[in-house]
Amino acid sequence: MNLTEELLIDICRGAAFLGTGGGGDPYIGRQMVRQAMEYGHQVEIIDPNEVPDDALVIPTAMMGAPTVLIEKLPRGDEAICSLKRLEKHLGKKAFATMPIEIGGINSTMPLVVGAYLDLPVVDADGMGRAFPELYQETFAVYGISCTPMAISNEYGDTTLIETHDNFMAEWLARGVTIRMGGAAYIAEYSMTGAEVKRTSIHNTLTLAISIGRCLREAREQHRDPFGALFTLMPQTPYKFITEIYQGKIVDVQRTTSAGFSVGSAQIQGMERFAGLMEITFQNEHLVARVDGDVKAIVPDLICIMDSETAEPITTEALRYGQRVKVLSVSCPPIMRTPEALKSFGPQIFGIEEPFTPIEDLTKQP
Amino acid sequence: MRIGIDVGGTNTDAVIMDGRSIVAHAKRPTTPDVSGGIISVLKTVLREANIPPSEIQAVMIGTTHFTNAVVERKRLLSVGIIRLALPATKCLPPMCDWPHDLSSALGNHSYLVHGGFNFDGRVIAPLDEAAVAAAAKDIKKKGLKTAAITSVFSPVNQDMEERGAEILLQEIPDIEVTLSHQIGRIGFLERENATVMNACLAELAKIVVDSFRTALSELKIEAPFYVSQNDGTLMTSDYVEKYPVLTFASGPTNSMRGAVFLAGLKDAMVVDIGGTTSDIGMLIKGFPRESSVAVDIGGVRTNFRMPDVLAIGLGGGSIIRNEGANVGPDSVGFKLTEEALVFGGQTLTATDIAVAAGLAQIGEPKKVAHLNPKFVNAALDRIHDMIDTAVDRMRTSAEPLPIILVGGGSILISRNIPSASEVTKPDYAPVANAIGAAIAQVGGEVERMFSLDAISRDEALDQAKQEAVSKTIDAGAREETVAVVDIEEVMISYLPGNATRIRVKAAGDLAMS
């Protein structure tokens, strides 16, 4: 499939939804891809099953705080520097690149790399949404090493990281990212085509397209965009979707801490929702509570959307006074296995409550 | 008593209000010098109300002049755009996502130089002063009168922008300079866009504010005058002279507030048809629906906080071509009374169509008697179709809403609009904007650094809120109407002591004496 501007816009809206508040506003990435297409480059998206088993795939991404990215735009070829450094290290050319994270701007970074290097982009990723840390990948859960990884800044300064495990890779790379100004560009989790097929969440770029298109078409045809989403999601591996709250943002607290955007938003309930919902985030929304009771919890998706237009709102765009609806969506089964929850579950974020699937939370009174 | 004035591209409207009652209202054509139209309309309302100028306590002016200039790409200065950011930001050059006709109207004079800050206050690169000086020389050679300087993370540290301005002013002492940290918040492209737009309006801003002053002093009105900004609050005249961009979208806010006041409907679509453009916005529970995403002005992305309005090129002065098939987007604007057929001119406008169809009595109806009824009908079809499509686009559900029709161009609409449940045209609809300006709120803003080591964040916020509220009351607001309308925090991570910059804005209705 060749990327068009319309598909690009759909991907970005879908990616903002799947970003669950994080991953950064895909607008910057969308402009970077659009600019590349304006220069005459093309982007080809291929199914994971089209990748030969022995071919080398090198995923690429932005790493760091989204609040930094919207202010400090990249030079544009940072991720390309990282991919080339990794090719040099491995002594092999990449057959394709791939997202590590479908949520937010990282759905678009590999598209920029693919455009300028004329590499296809694999329709799959390792997070199925957005997560703050590098080891939170199905790739890692199912045995692929994050390293060797390369990380570059706007000067083309590059660090090559090799570590004994993926936690150390995250730890070192985060430190380098902060030194690089809070946003840096990486190539990592290099793997074979066979490994892509085994460890990735398939067809998430096309899922983002479906979600984006569903919201766009509902709006164009004046159908309720929320209703359209509620019809679409059960047909995907993200089967269960529910509205957990509706109200007005009355407070947003955030800091940039250790390279992450952390904080919380308070939502004053409206309509059938009484009380105050607090949503805690570390780049992405982690847990939604009302009066201390968990209403949705990571790794299930928590999405804050404009209550009228159903536009997904990222944490950095949350503002006092916005009217919002909060949706929760179940993540696919590959992300809910015991070994996956060790990487993605609430405990890794220091949350005391255990993971409870949104399907079960909804049943409680 | 106070006066609300709305200076549109075509007409200048005024109302005199005493509390909630409308004492006098009038509409006169906008003149090229702006002040002529204001003087003429003010004379009329003062005479009608039969009061001396000394009775006037305040004058509130709303103007779409600056927005129109950008939408029509007219009267804009070429801008020297200096970005302090390299090697970062290179992938997206200034104006990269602007409509091409607008960026070329501004001349594409961009200078990317090394500089800018990281979030923690470290430099991305030291400011390349030589490159700024070279840019200044080039700007001088090109004869540009205005410049916009944007540095990465200037809301955290404005030093480089200020130093850049110094270098520029050394080379060209009389150049107008807009610095991005004075205009916008974090969000580089949007802030740079707003900064460039402010810069391109520098000359027009002086002319317009001067003409406001001239008009009021000629009529011996000594009351203070204010200009309304996009969030519906008022700013002082010297402020608007420096920051005209802040008036963007104040027109829609005024007309929507005016419409609520007049129609008493709480959930509706407000269609404000002026002389040059129509603005369509949605009222929910009496308040304009705010845009939660970036707002487009003339096709340019900004991060202003404003009602979500759709502007289309349809107004009373819109030029009709192609046997009624094409309406606008260009307008004869304030030259309506010279150029429209009913006023003896040569240009067929939407107003001529309305007169020919018998919808309004303006000018000399016999001058449009020759128009082919088929042709008139085709133009009316097109006009209703444009409004219908726009209302349809702004709807957020299948449920049709009533339309509140306001603005001088509301005479163009006589039929049902399929996407609306009904069309209401309240009394005084043609001067709703001026009413909105007259009832605009006064704001109070506090921006301060707090050290969160010394006090908790809640205490800091409370303190800032209280200060903003009392500033608003000091500025003349009635205490019981004052509410906090905006809160913003920027962590200043590079300073010790857990420093944060908190900005709180409050607003309330002006107290009536």
Side-chain angles (χ1 to χ4, degrees), chain A residues 79 84 93 99 102 108 176 211 238 248 293 314 319 346 365:
Chain A
K84 290 199 161 157
K93 289 278 173 194
I102 193 60
T108 58
V176 173
I211 294 172
Y238 298 63
K248 173 185 160 184
D293 292 340
T314 56
R319 298 286 296 271

Side-chain angles (χ1 to χ4, degrees), chain A residues 23 71 79 82 96 190 239 274 321 336 355:
Chain A
E71 178 66 24
S82 290
S190 57
K239 282 194 166 44
R336 283 177 163 188
F355 171 67

Side-chain angles (χ1 to χ4, degrees), chain A residues 27 71 73 222 306 319, chain B residues 89 97 153 185 191 292 392:
Chain A
Y27 178 77
E71 178 66 24
L73 312 177
H222 305 298
D306 183 298
R319 298 286 296 271
Chain B
T89 78
D97 56 346
F153 276 110
R185 48 197 85 195
R191 189 174 72 252
S292 62
D392 201 44

Side-chain angles (χ1 to χ4, degrees), chain A residues 25 27-28 31-32 34-35 38-39 67-68 70-78 154-155 178-182 219-220 222-225 250-256 259 270-271 306 308-309 311-313 317 319-323, chain B residues 83 86-93 96-97 100 114 118-120 122 124-125 151-155 185-191 282 284-285 289-290 292-293 301 305 392-393 395-398 457 461 484-487 489 491 493:
Chain A
D25 183 348
Y27 178 77
I28 302 287
Q31 287 306 318
M32 289 171 72
R34 194 189 55 84
Q35 197 78 15
E38 207 168 289
Y39 294 147
T67 42
V68 169
I70 59 165
E71 178 66 24
K72 183 187 172 186
L73 312 177
R75 182 174 77 174
D77 56 358
E78 291 90 333
E154 70 276 12
Y155 282 94
I178 293 170
R179 290 287 155 93
M180 285 182 168
R219 214 169 303 169
E220 282 168 4
H222 305 298
R223 287 181 288 112
D224 172 20
V250 289
D251 192 28
V252 182
Q253 176 173 12
R254 73 185 128 227
T255 61
T256 303
M270 281 163 48
E271 310 285 330
D306 183 298
E308 296 295 323
T309 62
E311 195 68 31
I313 306 175
R319 298 286 296 271
Y320 174 87
Q322 283 165 341
R323 299 319 200 252
Chain B
R83 187 192 273 187
L86 288 182
T89 78
K90 195 177 163 220
C91 65
L92 296 174
C96 63
D97 56 346
H100 288 297
H114 282 77
N118 280 300
F119 77 97
D120 55 4
R122 286 179 306 122
I124 292 172
S151 128
V152 175
F153 276 110
S154 63
R185 48 197 85 195
I186 298 278
F188 187 85
L189 280 181
E190 294 84 355
R191 189 174 72 252
M282 195 170 156
I284 300 171
K285 300 188 173 75
R289 175 157 68 85
E290 281 204 357
S292 62
V293 289
R301 184 175 158 106
R305 213 184 149 109
D392 201 44
R393 262 185 66 186
R395 273 201 291 169
T396 52
S397 74
R457 175 178 170 272
L461 271 179
V484 171
V485 292
D486 199 11
I487 300 174
E489 284 175 83
M491 286 299 290
S493 323

Side-chain angles (χ1 to χ4, degrees), chain B residues 44 74 88 185 303 465:
Chain B
T44 314
K74 278 181 188 164
R185 48 197 85 195
N303 56 5
K465 281 183 195 169

Side-chain angles (χ1 to χ4, degrees), chain B residues 460-484:
Chain B
L461 271 179
D462 277 348
Q463 206 174 319
K465 281 183 195 169
Q466 266 169 28
E467 280 179 38
V469 166
S470 52
K471 260 195 167 177
T472 309
I473 296 167
D474 289 348
R478 268 208 331 269
E479 191 170 347
E480 64 273 23
T481 64
V482 176
V484 171

Side-chain angles (χ1 to χ4, degrees), chain B residues 245-381:
Chain B
V245 81
L246 299 181
T247 65
F248 278 17
S250 64
T253 308
N254 283 345
S255 73
M256 290 178 82
R257 290 176 52 86
V260 175
F261 181 87
L262 292 173
L265 284 171
K266 298 277 184 195
D267 293 285
M269 202 68 85
V270 177
V271 177
D272 175 13
I273 309 181
T276 308
T277 57
S278 297
D279 289 323
I280 294 95
M282 195 170 156
L283 281 173
I284 300 171
K285 300 188 173 75
F287 289 94
R289 175 157 68 85
E290 281 204 357
S291 178
S292 62
V293 289
V295 184
D296 269 14
I297 302 282
V300 178
R301 184 175 158 106
T302 69
N303 56 5
F304 291 127
R305 213 184 149 109
M306 53 180 69
D308 190 7
V309 287
L310 176 66
I312 58 169
L314 168 66
S318 291
I319 297 170
I320 311 289
R321 297 189 182 88
N322 204 3
E323 305 204 326
N326 290 9
V327 178
D330 49 345
S331 164
V332 295
F334 62 79
K335 292 186 178 154
L336 184 71
T337 53
E338 297 160 33
E339 297 194 359
L341 299 185
V342 287
F343 293 109
Q346 299 294 319
T347 312
L348 179 61
T349 65
T351 299
D352 296 315
I353 296 291
V355 174
L359 300 176
Q361 292 265 326
I362 297 170
E364 294 177 57
K366 65 174 190 290
K367 296 211 156 125
V368 291
H370 66 283
L371 292 177
N372 180 345
K374 232 172 158 178
F375 182 167
V376 170
N377 211 36
L380 283 176
D381 281 349

